[in-house]
Amino acid sequence: MVELKTDTSIDAMYEAGQVVARALTAARQAAHVGVSLLELDEVAHDVLREAGATSPFLGYRPSFAPTPFPAVLCASVNDAIVHGVPGPYRLRDGDLVSLDFGAELGGWVGDSALSFIVGTPRKGDPRLVETAERALAAGIEAAVVGNRVGDIAHAIGTVCRGAGYGIPDGFGGHGIGRRMHEDPGVPNEGRPGRGMRLRHGMVLAIEPMVIGGGTDAYHAAPDGWTLKTNDGSRAAHAEHTVAITDSGPRILTAR
């Protein structure tokens, strides 16, 4: 069931979203060569504490996960697509990093992700990151009252496939509100004019993921969480929490 949020609730979700935005900005600014992923997790955790917010990631255990997630930040590097578990790995020059973060404040949740390159970019990586961002922008542009979920999916998939990139099957966006994952699901590829009609008060986490090698195949790392490309190619991820309103899409996690 999809819960339509009131305008007051959307304003409250914006406050949660801004905690997410501050944490991602802080972690991005701290991501230099030699910094560990655990240190980035602590930077993000500090923002939560300062805001009086909690993490919907920490301790989260969906059906596919062998253990609860042990951190507040997902940190995926190079061939990791999403759900990377922060560990002692220290960033190196040229790493492609995707950070995904959520915050719960006042009973409402925000969720967002960004990808960036540490130091000197490898050939092709800037285009990969730019494509993920462009696909996100296209999905948000389609997130208007009267459209359907399939219109968002089609907009995202058109950008990703048009660039020659793969899209990991079975992973995409989702409704969000009191809980991190709510109905409806928002695929990263689909047919326009299909799926649930978008209405004022719906809030969606829209999150394209792209695989640089052009195939869709991936596998779970031994930690049971991190999803990695089968061909070893790099991946990028971008995400915002977006409210559907009569005046157009409102990005609640805007940085």
Side-chain angles (χ1 to χ4, degrees), residues 183-218:
D183 291 333
V186 185
N188 285 329
E189 191 170 31
R191 297 176 62 181
R194 297 297 183 92
M196 183 175 293
R197 190 173 296 279
L198 304 180
R199 298 170 59 190
H200 179 91
M202 292 176 67
V203 182
L204 307 174
I206 300 173
E207 52 177 323
M209 308 159 196
V210 288
I211 297 175
T215 68
D216 299 351
Y218 62 89

Side-chain angles (χ1 to χ4, degrees), residues 161-188:
R161 296 297 189 192
Y165 295 138
I167 301 171
D169 184 47
F171 285 87
H174 48 90
I176 187 170
R178 293 286 185 183
R179 294 176 290 111
M180 182 165 58
H181 292 120
E182 298 183 352
D183 291 333
V186 185
N188 285 329

Side-chain angles (χ1 to χ4, degrees), residues 16-51:
Q18 289 309 290
V19 175
V20 176
R22 292 197 298 274
L24 284 175
T25 298
R28 169 68 182 90
Q29 291 173 344
H32 302 295
V33 172
V35 173
S36 75
L37 301 183
L38 281 172
E39 289 171 325
L40 296 185
D41 183 70
E42 188 58 30
V43 168
H45 209 156
D46 283 344
V47 174
L48 279 181
R49 296 185 187 103
E50 291 167 4

Side-chain angles (χ1 to χ4, degrees), residues 7-186:
D7 292 346
T8 299
S9 296
I10 290 173
D11 287 341
M13 289 192 70
Y14 175 81
E15 296 303 319
Q18 289 309 290
V19 175
V20 176
R22 292 197 298 274
L24 284 175
T25 298
R28 169 68 182 90
Q29 291 173 344
H32 302 295
V33 172
V35 173
S36 75
L37 301 183
L38 281 172
E39 289 171 325
L40 296 185
D41 183 70
E42 188 58 30
V43 168
H45 209 156
D46 283 344
V47 174
L48 279 181
R49 296 185 187 103
E50 291 167 4
T54 58
S55 172
F57 288 16
L58 183 62
Y60 181 60
R61 188 179 183 182
S63 58
F64 67 80
T67 58
F69 195 75
V72 301
L73 181 73
C74 291
S76 307
V77 181
N78 297 332
D79 63 338
I81 307 166
V82 288
H83 303 163
V85 178
Y89 177 84
R90 294 190 177 276
L91 295 173
R92 302 171 183 173
D93 187 55
D95 278 346
L96 196 166
V97 181
S98 297
L99 302 179
D100 190 355
F101 185 79
E104 182 174 349
L105 182 69
W108 297 102
V109 179
D111 187 11
S112 184
L114 78 167
S115 294
F116 58 90
I117 299 155
V118 177
T120 308
R122 286 194 184 184
K123 182 180 180 181
D125 282 355
R127 180 173 180 265
L128 188 64
V129 172
E130 184 272 336
T131 299
E133 293 173 346
R134 190 158 48 89
L136 175 59
I140 293 171
E141 186 177 357
V144 296
V145 171
N147 270 2
R148 294 183 179 270
V149 168
D151 295 310
I152 299 175
H154 178 71
I156 292 171
T158 297
V159 172
C160 298
R161 296 297 189 192
Y165 295 138
I167 301 171
D169 184 47
F171 285 87
H174 48 90
I176 187 170
R178 293 286 185 183
R179 294 176 290 111
M180 182 165 58
H181 292 120
E182 298 183 352
D183 291 333
V186 185

